[in-house]
Amino acid sequence: MNTQEEIKTQFQFNCFGKLYAYLSSSLIRWGGTKGERLVRQVIVQYAQDKGAHIRQHQEEKGISINLKNLFLEEPCCGADPRFYRVNLRDTRQSQLQEVYSCPLEKQWRALNEMFAGSLYCEEYAHALIKGYTLGRGQANVSNSLTCSRDNRCVQAFYYRTANMTPQQQWELENVTEASPERNTGRNILCLYHAFYENIKDQGVDGIAALACGLRAFAKDIICAVSDEASRTGRAVDETFMDEFLPVPYNNKILDNTTSFLEDTEKKIFEINIVEQIQATFAL
């Protein structure tokens, strides 16, 4: 049995996993090996930017920059309650985690996108740590649930004082702890931005592949929104959409949340996501 808040969190995290699956599979179908390389570049850019954003946020608040605080703010692959993690080591300089159940893996398996999922698992953790530690930390992912031979994820992270600058060593000694700061909507838009940045120079066909993935995502979440409203006994109105849907569904929300997007990429998102949602629900 899940609470209303847990249902909402799970639905929003599903939206993130689906956006990645649809966009990455569309690029791989279009570009083959080239598409795979672009997807890897997307993951690296997204994760590095995310790590750097968390670091900047913690520096501005006077929070100690260390691995414990990184994962206090947002656990490695997400904060969804369906993750089953075991922390074998939890210190400021090292983290060792095993993951036995992952909602991303289950979703990608259901969508038959395990190959795309495996790319995410191969690149994400390394890039996140690089972004957060300014290249001074290391990550090792020796097992992954998206690999057919593995039955769990095994992840190790290190941020050793021997590898730090004097400034980083000083930041580590600060004992101020982080608190959860999770924003799935921002993660979704940042993921889309990374896809656009890596595909925008690939010509009309590359942009078309991006748009195709967005349309497939929109079609899926439109159905999911109706199912979620029924599941929670709610009407599909603006109140429900504001609370549950982590992507913009009208131009006002789009303008308020996408100031970091170029005009062209915002327009692509508007045509293939926002307009599709509005045409369905007339909000």
Side-chain angles (χ1 to χ4, degrees), residues 247-277:
V247 299
Y249 66 87
N250 62 37
N251 288 331
K252 180 180 179 180
I253 298 174
L254 183 67
D255 290 339
N256 289 339
T257 57
T258 57
S259 59
F260 60 94
L261 301 186
E262 295 179 9
D263 290 342
T264 301
E265 68 178 310
K266 185 184 293 187
K267 191 64 177 178
I268 293 170
F269 192 94
E270 178 185 352
I271 292 171
N272 294 286
I273 300 289
V274 177
E275 290 183 2
Q276 306 308 308
I277 295 173

Side-chain angles (χ1 to χ4, degrees), residues 51 68 70 76-77 85 110 118 120-121 140 155 160 164-166 176 205 219 225 239 252 266 271:
K68 194 178 185 73
L70 168 62
C76 179
C77 296
R85 294 185 181 91
S118 70
Y120 189 92
C121 297
N140 178 48
Q155 303 168 328
R160 303 295 195 189
M164 297 179 194
T165 65
T176 308
D205 289 345
K219 182 178 179 180
V225 162
T239 301
K252 180 180 179 180
K266 185 184 293 187
I271 292 171

